[in-house]
Amino acid sequence: EVQLVESGGGMVQPGGSLRLSCAASGFTFSNYLMTWVRQAPGKGPEWVSTIGSNGVTTYYADSVKGRFTISRDNAKNRLYLQMNSLKPEDTALYYCAKASRTLALNRNYWGQGTQVTVSS
């Protein structure tokens, strides 16, 4: 059974940083693309970033490019999202997804999510 468990969220002031983690199990983690998706209050899901199975190829939404860094540790079955220079508009539930950018918008691919709140 595929399991994805997000952690690392919290409340931070604008300009601050957080590092999100996603613990994966139930599949061969190193064989799959992985994606971060977020959903702000009252809005639909938004693609954030995708990383290739080898951890080398990465893609970012324009809204986070230059501020966020996606990475993975295949030996630990772990996905990460380093978030710097956080803005209030980054406030959302953040989900780890075992899927490509487009398919990851379907909540069936998500874990339980971790809340990120950026506020002064």
Side-chain angles (χ1 to χ4, degrees), residues 9-86:
M11 180 174 287
V12 64
Q13 294 184 348
S17 298
L18 285 172
R19 192 190 194 206
L20 307 185
S21 296
C22 171
S25 62
F27 65 101
T28 305
F29 180 74
S30 61
N31 287 349
Y32 289 87
L33 293 168
M34 294 296 293
T35 290
W36 286 100
V37 169
R38 66 187 182 186
Q39 188 164 27
K43 297 185 177 180
E46 176 188 11
W47 171 73
V48 175
S49 184
T50 295
I51 188 167
S53 61
N54 60 7
V56 175
T57 304
T58 58
Y59 304 91
Y60 298 93
D62 289 341
S63 59
V64 307
K65 194 171 298 180
R67 300 187 298 120
F68 291 10
T69 302
I70 190 171
S71 63
R72 66 194 295 164
D73 186 337
N74 285 344
K76 297 180 179 179
N77 289 352
R78 193 70 69 105
L79 177 72
Y80 304 100
L81 186 68
Q82 178 67 46
M83 306 185 296
N84 299 325
S85 302
L86 283 163

